[in-house]
């Protein structure tokens, strides 16, 4: 059976590009979101998130009539759920968005439909979603009770695209397809093959769930190793960036880069899903999370020490005379995304505790978030003129080309290793 209408539930960083890519293949796509403003923006041919080239693809898809957004689910042949899965207190996964998304599509489901969970999910979430659908639609059969004979097919196909490269990675990356039965996997593969040029690799739903969590935990553990090294090296007065470059010359060593902590809505979140379910067995994964989460406090201590150093060499000054400049707020280089950004957290913390002025350089945004009420956004040049302490938080391109003459003799805390003089 072909797919004439595809519905994507949740028009965020994953759902909207996915909807747009299907629509670009001239398939009829209905995007569903609870946010009326987002729906109106998309129907106006514009986007409410930042992702390179997405505006062009969405604009074309809407103008040509292939993509339409709505707040109310409508019948379709395939439903892709791409809603957030944050964690609750104590780091237990919060499946409430998946629950309400599945309950909202249940009334429009029909025999032959395919439902795919794309949201990053703890192991067992797809089965849970299928049980919510079955509860809402006792007139239809589902794979957990009817196996290959079910009316509705259900699969988990986690998204694995890198923010900033979403449109390319959506098409080129391999896709893990975790059907609840082989026929569910077949149906999901046929759907993704409509635009995926990478391989579609079939497994079961639980393995697909664990695969996505494993990928992000792997990265988190490796970044934690780099962050831990950076704190050890600081004690030993060893340049951690030089050390990593040297160690990485070994043919089987590939250490990642230290930073101010791990941000974004994936790597800092997903490992907790494993920890919360594995109950005592996920020791390394949990420790890695703790190491990465502790890095912002360590950076703040470094800034305190730099302020104290500056004061001791300028006895005529007091703390309120000292200007601290924070370079970068985004959670990683060359994007404007401040979500779960350790740089934002550090800047907020410094501005709350520092008696003097805090200024920020963030070339990718036009105004500061409301959580930084006493902080001033300024240009790179202004910051170098005014600041006594320079805190480099994100290795944005413009920061990398700062001439070393501007850095000589300055009080610098460099969390990315690009301003070492
Ligand atoms: N970071 C470092 N050092 C490094 C690499 C990254 O400190 O060497 C930091 C970044 O600065 C950032 C955080 O880690 O704060 C995460 O950035 P990232 O580029 O590693 O990853 P995300 O969160 O943008 O995207 C990840 C990707 N997962 C993997 O690479 C395994 C992406 O493929 C996933 O689709 C995405 O999570 C997701 O949605 O789960």
């Amino acid at each position: 059976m072909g797919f004439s209408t595809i519905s994507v539930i949740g028009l965020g960083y994953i759902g909207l590009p996915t909807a747009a890519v299907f629509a670009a293949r001239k398939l009829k796509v209905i995007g569903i979101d609870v946010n009326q403003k987002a729906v109106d923006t998309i129907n106006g041919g514009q986007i409410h998130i930042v992702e390179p080239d997405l505006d062009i693809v969405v604009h074309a898809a809407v103008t040509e009539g292939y993509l339409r957004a709505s707040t109310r689910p409508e019948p379709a042949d395939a439903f892709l759920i791409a809603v957030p899965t944050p964690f609750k207190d104590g780091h237990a996964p919060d499946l409430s968005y998946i629950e309400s998304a599945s309950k909202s599509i249940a009334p429009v489901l029909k025999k032959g439909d395919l439902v795919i969970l794309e949201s990053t999910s703890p192991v067992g979430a797809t089965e849970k979603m299928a049980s919510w659908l079955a509860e809402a639609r006792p007139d239809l059969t589902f794979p957990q009770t009817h196996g290959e004979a079910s009316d509705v097919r259900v699969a988990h196909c986690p998204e694995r695209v890198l923010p900033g490269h979403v449109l390319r990675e959506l098409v080129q990356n391999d896709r893990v397809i975790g059907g609840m039965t082989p026929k569910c996997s077949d149906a999901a593969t046929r759907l993704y093959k409509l635009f995926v040029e990478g391989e579609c690799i079939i497994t079961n739903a639980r393995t697909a769930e664990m695969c996505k969590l494993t990928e992000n935990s792997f990265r988190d553990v490796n970044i934690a190793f780099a962050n831990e090294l950076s704190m050890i090296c600081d004690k030993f007065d060893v340049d951690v960036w030089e050390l990593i470059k040297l160690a990485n010359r070994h043919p089987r060593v590939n250490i990642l880069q230290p930073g101010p902590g791990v941000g974004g809505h994936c790597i800092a979140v997903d490992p907790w899903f494993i920890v919360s379910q594995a109950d005592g067995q996920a020791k390394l994964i949990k420790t890695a999370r703790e190491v990465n989460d502790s890095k912002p406090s360590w950076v703040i201590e470094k800034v305190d020490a730099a302020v104290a150093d500056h004061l001791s060499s300028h006895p005529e000054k007091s703390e309120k005379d000292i200007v601290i400049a924070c370079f970068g707020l985004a959670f990683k280089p060359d994007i404007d995304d401040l979500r779960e950004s350790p740089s934002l957290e550090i800047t907020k913390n410094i501005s709350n505790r520092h008696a003097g002025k805090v200024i920020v350089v963030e070339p990718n945004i036009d105004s500061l978030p409301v959580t930084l009420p006493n902080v001033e956004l300024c240009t790179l040049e202004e910051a170098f003129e005014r600041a006594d302490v320079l805190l480099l938080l994100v290795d944005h391109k413009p920061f990398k080309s700062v001439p070393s003459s501007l850095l000589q003799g300055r009080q610098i805390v460099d969390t990315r290793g690009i301003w070492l003089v």
Side-chain angles (χ1 to χ4, degrees):
M1 196 205 92
F3 300 98
S4 62
T5 306
I6 295 158
S7 181
V8 179
I9 324 298
L11 297 173
Y13 281 81
I14 300 303
L16 183 56
T18 304
V21 169
F22 275 117
R25 300 291 184 279
K26 306 208 179 304
L27 290 149
K28 188 178 161 205
V29 182
I30 307 168
I32 308 296
D33 202 287
V34 288
N35 178 351
Q36 181 71 53
K37 218 168 136 213
V39 164
D40 293 343
T41 306
I42 295 162
N43 284 334
Q46 290 174 326
I47 61 173
H48 60 295
I49 55 174
V50 176
E51 179 61 38
D53 300 330
L54 182 61
D55 50 346
I56 302 164
V57 184
V58 167
H59 186 265
V62 173
T63 329
E64 290 167 19
Y66 292 106
L67 173 62
R68 180 168 56 80
S70 170
T71 54
R72 291 233 308 269
E74 296 175 25
D77 305 313
F79 295 84
L80 288 98
I81 297 185
V83 294
T85 36
F87 54 63
K88 302 187 274 204
D89 288 349
H91 300 117
D94 175 1
L95 299 187
S96 59
Y97 295 89
I98 298 180
E99 183 175 1
S100 55
S102 48
K103 287 182 174 166
S104 79
I105 60 163
V108 299
L109 279 184
K110 60 183 184 314
K111 190 175 164 139
D113 284 355
L114 167 67
V115 181
I116 294 180
L117 179 62
E118 279 213 4
S119 313
T120 303
S121 299
V123 173
T126 309
E127 290 156 26
K128 189 95 197 123
M129 179 187 77
S131 75
W132 283 318
L133 293 172
E135 245 169 63
R137 289 299 300 272
D139 55 319
L140 290 171
T141 60
F142 290 84
Q144 64 273 33
T145 49
H146 289 69
E148 294 297 45
S150 68
D151 291 334
V152 178
R153 307 286 183 208
V154 179
H156 179 57
C157 306
E159 65 76 18
R160 297 140 93 210
V161 288
L162 194 67
H165 302 268
V166 168
L167 287 174
R168 178 175 53 79
E169 290 210 351
L170 263 180
V171 173
Q172 291 180 359
N173 287 5
D174 292 342
R175 195 95 203 192
V176 173
I177 310 271
M180 282 183 70
T181 68
K183 278 192 179 158
C184 295
S185 296
D186 285 349
T189 304
R190 270 191 286 115
L191 180 73
Y192 284 106
K193 276 287 172 200
L194 295 172
F195 71 80
V196 171
E197 289 168 10
E199 245 183 272
C200 289
I201 305 138
I202 290 178
T203 180
N204 56 45
R206 293 175 79 85
T207 308
E209 288 160 345
M210 189 59 186
C211 183
K212 170 63 195 255
L213 301 181
T214 300
E215 291 160 10
N216 281 354
S217 300
F218 172 86
R219 195 152 168 88
D220 197 46
V221 168
N222 281 280
I223 298 169
F225 183 74
N227 275 332
E228 185 165 294
L229 270 183
S230 73
M231 296 186 272
I232 296 169
C233 284
D234 185 68
K235 241 193 193 114
F236 294 171
D237 203 16
V238 166
D239 173 352
V240 70
W241 285 278
E242 185 195 359
L243 172 85
I244 290 173
K245 258 189 219 142
L246 294 174
N248 282 352
R249 288 197 166 230
H250 185 286
R252 284 173 298 284
V253 174
N254 187 9
I255 304 168
L256 293 179
Q257 297 300 303
V262 166
H265 32 282
C266 309
I267 300 210
V269 175
D270 303 351
W272 285 120
F273 292 2
I274 298 182
V275 174
S276 77
Q277 286 187 309
D279 199 26
Q281 275 152 335
K283 293 195 193 91
L284 178 63
I285 297 172
K286 181 168 186 248
T287 304
R289 270 291 63 246
E290 287 165 352
V291 168
N292 285 332
D293 275 354
S294 72
K295 192 74 193 284
S297 317
W298 185 86
V299 172
I300 291 162
E301 279 168 27
K302 289 277 133 199
V303 173
D304 285 348
V307 169
D309 262 10
H310 187 80
L311 280 175
S312 66
S313 53
H314 295 82
E316 75 288 0
K317 285 190 181 176
S318 71
E319 192 187 321
K320 68 174 178 17
D321 304 314
I322 296 194
V323 177
I324 302 175
C326 301
F327 293 81
L329 286 182
F331 88 85
K332 61 182 199 172
D334 305 316
I335 58 166
D336 71 337
D337 194 341
L338 309 187
R339 289 178 300 166
E340 316 297 328
S341 170
S343 310
L344 179 61
E345 181 191 333
I346 291 167
T347 305
K348 198 160 66 185
N349 198 303
I350 291 173
S351 80
N352 287 339
R353 60 200 275 137
H354 180 57
K357 188 84 199 152
V358 176
I359 58 181
V360 163
V361 185
E362 177 44 86
N364 301 299
I365 60 173
D366 299 325
S367 60
L368 287 176
V370 287
T371 50
L372 296 178
N374 305 315
V375 177
E376 206 181 307
L377 186 64
C378 60
T379 63
L380 194 70
E381 292 72 24
E382 270 178 80
F384 273 99
E385 252 164 50
R386 290 170 60 189
D388 303 296
V389 172
L390 312 175
L391 170 59
L392 190 281
L393 291 166
V394 190
D395 42 344
H396 288 316
K397 270 196 199 93
F399 301 164
K400 288 187 180 163
S401 49
V402 168
S404 57
S405 56
L406 269 184
L407 302 167
Q408 294 291 347
R410 308 289 300 246
Q411 197 68 249
I412 297 174
V413 178
D414 179 357
T415 68
R416 299 283 183 176
I418 61 170
W419 281 356
L420 299 172
V421 285

